[in-house]
Amino acid sequence: MNASEFRKKGKEMVDYVADYMEGIEKRQVYPDVEPGYLRPLIPATAPQEPETFEAIMNDVEKIIMPGVTHWHSPHFFAYFPTASSYPAMLADMLCGAIGCIGFSWAASPACTELETVMMDWLGKMLELPETFLAESAGEGGGVIQGSASEATLVALLAARTRVTRQLQITSPELSQAAIMEKLVAYSSDQVVATLGTTSCCSFDNLLEVGPICNQENVWLHIDAAYAGSAFICPEFRHLLNGVEFADSFNFNPHKWLLVNFDCSAMWVKKRSSLTGAFKLDPLYLKHSHQDSGLITDYRHWQLPLGRRFRSLKMWFVFRMYGVKGLQAYIRKHVQLSHEFESLVRRDPCFEICAEVTLGLVCFRLKGSNKLNEALLEKINNARKIHLVPCHLKDKFVLRFAICSRTVESVHIQQAWKHIKELATQLLQTEKE
């Protein structure tokens, strides 16, 4: 494919994507396929001769789309949102075109410097303490990781390195093995200090946990993977109170802030805590500016060596929506969650199982776990909407998460009507 062909097919692809997004509501949200459906539909080996773009796109509709769960459908209420916006898609195209591998400043200066600035922009939106910002001339800073899980692992490894080195200084008689035996990581059943748990969007009390961690010199990592986006709204910022006690903090703009996956924002108070754990300096990666103190080499802040130009997505989205546009988007989702909550509360057959703070509603039919398992099975088998469950205090609970960028009140009303109809059928069967 040459540049001329790329121009033509690229425009066709943009049209296909726009048509897909505009027509996604009409597609069945949850696929009706069995495991292994795809292999019989494609050849057992790669083609020896080139195939046409048209043939590939035909197969996208015939083979791929029937097996896609449409996360961006306004009928998708499972898991948590995965962000999607046209500005982010355009930025991803540009990222792919530039194709740099930004492991160091020298590998592509703009890739590194834009990331540093975007992390400061986002930190200011959240009103993070200045100690987490690179521009404050302090010891902190931000980095884009691939996921919140990755950020948690990075924090854990950095914490292990920090305490190991402290013990090597204070107790030089201890061997490496003896030191490792002394290390302890404290967690709840949600893993780390969490703001907006996956099950029910509950919040740990940082103002209680934080001072204890600081007093005991325990690394405190805070995971706000889903909820963190909401903290750009002043009315939700109090949920982040206590972040000043943290050594590291992370949330996913790729969940709820219109920045397409992958983009997980992580800040640390002391960047040396990361670079001390992950520093890698073979001769072929060194460059003349690395010791200047003016730049960052992000390969020392992460597990992989390579990294994409992900900050372009943040730059495009932040500029084309503005902070006010992003706040309005968050507030709309929260409003819709409370609309669904009010519908549930008005029906005596159902109950709300956790406080509705942001965009997640946990609810269930009053009755046994088996009854609610049957209800969820009926909902997902009908494939008009898609939900997933959780367990709260041994109760089987249905989660209703506001996810799609295009979801409106009418979709909430339709979903509730559908759920009620299936619940009525189920209750009638139970009586018989």
Side-chain angles (χ1 to χ4, degrees):
M1 181 180 285
N2 58 31
S4 176
E5 292 171 318
F6 175 72
R7 290 178 191 276
K8 182 175 183 296
K9 302 308 179 187
K11 289 170 184 174
E12 290 176 12
M13 179 60 83
V14 168
D15 284 340
Y16 179 86
V17 170
D19 289 343
Y20 169 74
M21 297 304 295
E22 287 188 329
I24 197 170
E25 182 175 352
K26 298 183 180 71
R27 292 181 184 262
Q28 182 174 284
V29 64
Y30 192 53
D32 188 10
V33 296
E34 296 296 325
Y37 90 95
L38 188 143
R39 184 173 288 275
L41 301 179
I42 60 176
T45 59
Q48 294 297 314
E49 300 295 333
E51 296 188 32
T52 65
F53 180 79
E54 288 75 15
I56 296 169
M57 291 307 296
N58 285 337
D59 282 347
V60 167
E61 275 298 324
K62 287 195 307 183
I63 298 172
I64 303 302
M65 286 300 176
V68 169
T69 299
H70 298 286
W71 281 62
H72 302 293
S73 167
H75 305 304
F76 182 92
F77 302 104
Y79 310 107
F80 273 135
T82 179
S84 175
S85 69
Y86 293 122
M89 291 182 208
L90 293 173
D92 255 345
M93 288 177 64
L94 182 57
C95 172
I98 293 173
C100 63
I101 309 298
F103 46 72
S104 71
W105 179 88
S108 195
C111 180
T112 291
E113 296 202 12
L114 185 63
E115 182 163 337
T116 302
V117 176
M118 287 304 98
M119 291 300 293
D120 276 356
W121 274 20
L122 186 53
K124 290 175 184 177
M125 287 186 218
L126 301 172
E127 297 183 17
L128 285 181
E130 284 193 4
T131 50
F132 288 104
L133 306 182
E135 75 168 22
S136 65
E139 299 178 89
V143 59
I144 301 174
Q145 304 285 2
S147 68
S149 304
E150 189 177 325
T152 300
L153 179 57
V154 165
L156 182 66
L157 294 174
R160 184 182 69 176
T161 300
R162 184 179 74 175
V163 74
T164 297
R165 290 177 178 169
Q166 289 171 348
L167 285 170
Q168 286 171 336
I169 293 171
T170 58
S171 304
E173 74 281 2
L174 291 177
S175 66
Q176 184 76 12
I179 289 175
M180 293 298 288
E181 289 177 356
K182 289 180 173 292
L183 302 185
V184 177
Y186 297 89
S187 70
S188 69
D189 59 2
Q190 307 293 326
V191 182
V192 294
T194 308
L195 300 179
T197 58
T198 302
S199 294
C200 63
C201 198
S202 59
F203 294 80
D204 284 329
N205 190 333
L206 301 183
L207 295 173
E208 290 182 356
V209 174
I212 296 172
C213 290
N214 286 183
Q215 179 182 331
E216 300 296 331
N217 196 28
V218 173
W219 182 295
L220 175 60
H221 177 67
I222 298 171
D223 182 346
Y226 160 69
S229 296
F231 304 155
I232 69 169
C233 299
E235 64 268 34
F236 300 122
R237 174 55 179 79
H238 69 278
L239 296 169
L240 187 56
N241 289 349
V243 70
E244 60 272 18
F245 298 109
D247 295 276
S248 54
F249 167 71
N250 170 258
F251 86 99
N252 292 342
H254 69 229
K255 275 194 169 68
W256 203 14
L257 208 59
L258 296 170
V259 180
N260 290 19
F261 187 86
D262 59 342
C263 182
S264 190
M266 179 184 187
W267 289 267
V268 288
K269 268 186 183 166
K270 290 189 176 182
R271 51 185 176 267
S272 60
S273 296
L274 295 191
T275 58
F278 300 105
K279 193 171 183 64
L280 179 68
D281 258 339
L283 181 61
Y284 54 82
L285 295 182
K286 291 185 178 182
H287 56 88
S288 58
H289 297 284
Q290 68 181 36
D291 297 320
S292 67
L294 300 175
I295 55 93
T296 293
D297 283 346
Y298 276 122
R299 70 180 182 276
H300 302 315
W301 296 52
Q302 61 176 19
L303 295 173
L305 174 62
R307 57 202 336 273
R308 299 169 63 241
F309 201 164
R310 291 176 292 201
S311 57
L312 280 172
K313 294 184 288 192
M314 299 171 75
W315 195 43
F316 274 48
V317 169
F318 295 166
R319 293 183 68 183
M320 295 188 74
Y321 279 91
V323 175
K324 289 184 178 179
L326 295 171
Q327 290 172 334
Y329 176 70
I330 297 293
R331 287 168 178 149
K332 177 183 174 182
H333 273 204
V334 175
Q335 177 190 345
L336 290 174
S337 73
H338 286 299
E339 179 178 344
F340 184 80
E341 176 193 16
S342 67
L343 292 170
V344 176
R345 289 192 183 279
R346 289 204 293 265
D347 192 310
C349 293
F350 287 86
E351 60 183 343
I352 295 292
C353 304
E355 180 182 0
V356 179
T357 306
L358 298 177
L360 176 68
V361 182
C362 293
F363 73 107
R364 71 195 301 271
L365 270 172
K366 293 176 181 176
S368 67
N369 284 347
K370 184 178 178 181
L371 180 67
N372 282 278
E373 289 170 8
L375 175 59
L376 181 65
E377 185 176 10
K378 286 179 74 71
I379 290 170
N380 286 333
N381 285 345
R383 293 179 168 81
K384 287 187 176 181
I385 63 173
H386 187 39
L387 306 182
V388 294
C390 68
H391 277 106
L392 297 179
K393 297 179 180 177
D394 298 323
K395 285 187 175 181
F396 186 90
V397 172
L398 282 64
R399 296 170 74 263
F400 189 93
I402 309 298
C403 293
S404 171
R405 177 176 54 84
T406 58
V407 68
E408 301 287 349
S409 175
V410 64
H411 303 113
I412 304 303
Q413 298 288 336
Q414 289 172 355
W416 176 241
K417 180 182 178 183
H418 180 58
I419 292 168
K420 277 196 64 172
E421 287 174 352
L422 295 179
T424 300
Q425 295 172 15
L426 183 63
L427 293 172
Q428 187 62 39
T429 302
E430 290 283 312
K431 288 179 182 177
E432 295 172 357

